[in-house]
Amino acid sequence: MKLHEYQAKALLAQYGVPIPRGEVATTPEEAAAVARSLGGRVVVKAQVHAGGRGKAGGIRLVDTPQQAREAAQALLGRRLVTYQTGPEGVPVHKVLVAEAVDIARELYLAVVLDPSARGPAVIASAEGGVEIEEVARRSPEKIHRLAPDPLLGLMPFQGRQLAYALGLPPSLVRPFADTAVGIYRLFVEKDCSLVEINPLAITTDGRLLAVDAKVNLDDDALFRHPDLEALRDRTQEDPLEAAAADADIAYVRLEGDVGCLVNGAGLAMATLDMVSRVGAQPANFLDVGGGASEEKVQKAFAIILDDPRVKRILVNIFGGILRCDVAARGIVSAVRAKGFCPPMVVRMLGTNVQEGRDILRTAGLPVTFVETLQEAAEALRKAP
Ligand code: GDP
Ligand code: MN
């Protein structure tokens, strides 16, 4: 689960990280009022679950409350398209109005889950700002990485080591180390999958300030943090992924046009591999789960049908606990409700397979039945 910048900054502040003063606003009038209380010169920032706002016009530096009102007016109620969103963008319902900071240098500081370290790692660079991906590509030696002992956590001396590695002036070594230790503790205590400050600004008057913040939370640990779970903003989530989450269906949107309905995560992964191997592209990962009901299969299939990119569908059901007839009824109900169905390749095996096939056939769906994954691959290869 992602948090908004203003929510992430509130967490940073709890862990002692200095942030610019500011407040969130939902109307241009509120934005003007916040700007007035901050002294006029502010930055108005679209609150969306995507980075790259600066380059997309979602970050506006202004000098007066009136200009803050206009900036908020221009952002609120619009959709913001950045290089991290799809072409449809994400809706802006809130802006953060924060005191404008005079930035001398932009650093990068983050805690990430590092698979090679099998634990959290701190990443820092003296070249922060909007081009960090570019820095990582062009000059990876400018990215410093440190994976602390997970039982000890990040020690202050390690934070200072990073500060030296970045070549920070002596006066900023302590504040930088404190910030690193703070976000490492935040990462562990709140079960995050990412805490990122980009930029961590050095102001012209020599202070360290978290000008931007990103915090992602581990969904599987959210039950331990009901206060954080309450911060969820569904308007920012992909509607299909949100519908799947509500129905307790494991679903990940992918880039292709082959909708996939599978039961079991392992089988779903194997199915995606097979689809890719024949040169097709899966539109999604979808695991309805082992003991899915007819209703759950119907919801899952409806999610696939609701995806306008889906041109054909591959059903790969192993009927164990989920019987094939139950799956078939769920599929038929979804198609009836939506009133259409793209061509389908169906591989069903196991309990009540004959009944399942009969249900699909008599419903008149455009189905090609296959027995094996190999045949499914061939059928996909032949379909346009
Ligand atoms: P992002 O583009 O979504 O990562 O949004 P950021 O909050 O990181 O803002 C993008 C860039 O806008 C930053 O790297 C800064 O260069 C600039 N920026 C943001 N806030 C301020 C501010 O208060 N003062 C100044 N001078 N620049 C700012
Ligand atoms: Mn940023």
Side-chain angles (χ1 to χ4, degrees):
M1 179 185 129
K2 293 180 178 176
L3 295 182
H4 281 298
E5 176 193 3
Y6 76 95
Q7 298 164 332
K9 280 180 166 168
L11 280 175
L12 288 183
Q14 280 177 35
Y15 284 83
V17 178
I19 59 168
R21 290 182 302 142
E23 219 146 331
V24 73
T26 54
T27 64
E29 289 65 42
E30 271 175 38
V34 177
R36 207 168 298 117
S37 73
L38 292 173
R41 258 199 87 226
V42 294
V43 55
V44 179
K45 313 181 75 174
Q47 297 299 286
V48 291
H49 284 184
R53 296 166 301 166
K55 285 187 170 172
I59 308 283
R60 314 220 173 168
L61 269 166
V62 298
D63 290 318
T64 66
Q66 176 55 27
Q67 287 174 358
R69 180 199 309 271
E70 288 160 13
Q73 179 93 55
L75 292 170
L76 289 165
R78 302 283 161 78
R79 298 183 77 90
L80 190 68
V81 180
T82 85
Y83 75 94
Q84 291 188 3
T85 69
E88 70 284 358
V90 275
V92 184
H93 297 301
K94 294 173 184 166
V95 293
L96 173 63
V97 182
E99 60 179 332
V101 175
D102 293 321
I103 301 175
R105 275 177 70 187
E106 299 193 332
L107 313 174
Y108 177 93
L109 181 64
V111 182
V112 302
L113 215 43
D114 180 351
S116 61
R118 297 177 214 86
V122 185
I123 297 190
S125 176
E127 296 198 16
V130 290
E131 301 280 7
I132 189 68
E133 291 92 350
E134 189 55 34
V135 176
R137 235 184 333 256
R138 201 185 56 235
S139 22
E141 76 284 355
K142 289 184 178 155
I143 309 277
H144 302 271
R145 174 187 301 260
L146 195 159
D149 182 323
L151 293 181
L152 297 176
L154 184 70
M155 307 294 279
F157 82 88
Q158 293 173 311
R160 293 195 293 274
Q161 273 175 357
L162 275 175
Y164 298 134
L166 301 193
L168 298 189
S171 62
L172 286 180
V173 170
R174 250 310 271 292
F176 181 89
D178 289 347
T179 295
V181 169
I183 68 167
Y184 189 91
R185 274 186 49 222
L186 163 64
F187 184 95
V188 172
E189 289 177 13
K190 303 297 186 191
D191 293 310
C192 301
S193 54
L194 173 74
V195 178
E196 182 187 73
I197 307 176
N198 187 30
L200 176 61
I202 302 179
T203 61
T204 46
D205 57 355
R207 292 174 303 135
L208 215 51
L209 215 46
V211 165
D212 189 13
K214 191 180 280 180
V215 169
N216 295 349
L217 302 164
D218 180 350
D219 289 329
D220 291 324
L222 267 183
F223 72 97
R224 300 204 283 204
H225 309 285
D227 53 327
L228 297 178
E229 194 168 15
L231 301 179
R232 171 162 247 141
D233 181 353
R234 293 203 179 267
T235 69
Q236 301 292 310
E237 295 175 5
D238 178 79
L240 297 181
E241 290 194 354
D246 286 341
D248 196 27
I249 294 163
Y251 174 89
V252 180
R253 187 191 165 115
L254 301 170
E255 297 307 314
D257 64 1
V258 183
C260 298
L261 178 84
V262 190
N263 68 327
L267 189 60
M269 300 282 268
T271 304
L272 297 192
D273 283 351
M274 186 277 287
V275 170
S276 306
R277 234 178 112 179
V278 297
Q281 292 291 323
N284 63 274
F285 167 98
L286 192 157
D287 166 20
V288 278
S293 62
E294 179 183 327
E295 193 196 352
K296 197 166 169 187
V297 174
Q298 177 185 347
K299 284 184 177 161
F301 208 73
I303 288 168
I304 294 175
L305 293 175
D306 278 340
D307 185 342
R309 304 165 311 157
V310 167
K311 299 286 180 285
R312 48 212 169 129
I313 295 178
L314 174 61
V315 175
N316 192 5
I317 296 289
F318 186 79
I321 304 171
L322 167 61
R323 300 186 334 245
C324 293
D325 60 311
V326 172
R329 280 194 195 93
I331 291 170
V332 171
S333 327
V335 173
R336 294 246 160 88
K338 300 285 172 196
F340 69 93
C341 184
M344 246 198 305
V345 175
V346 175
R347 178 193 184 230
M348 279 197 310
L349 283 181
T351 314
N352 294 353
V353 59
Q354 201 46 55
E355 204 182 332
R357 289 180 173 203
D358 290 345
I359 289 168
L360 293 178
R361 214 186 321 257
T362 48
L365 305 191
V367 185
T368 307
F369 289 105
V370 297
E371 295 280 341
T372 64
L373 263 185
Q374 188 59 42
E375 286 172 28
E378 290 306 321
L380 275 184
R381 211 196 302 266
K382 278 187 214 127

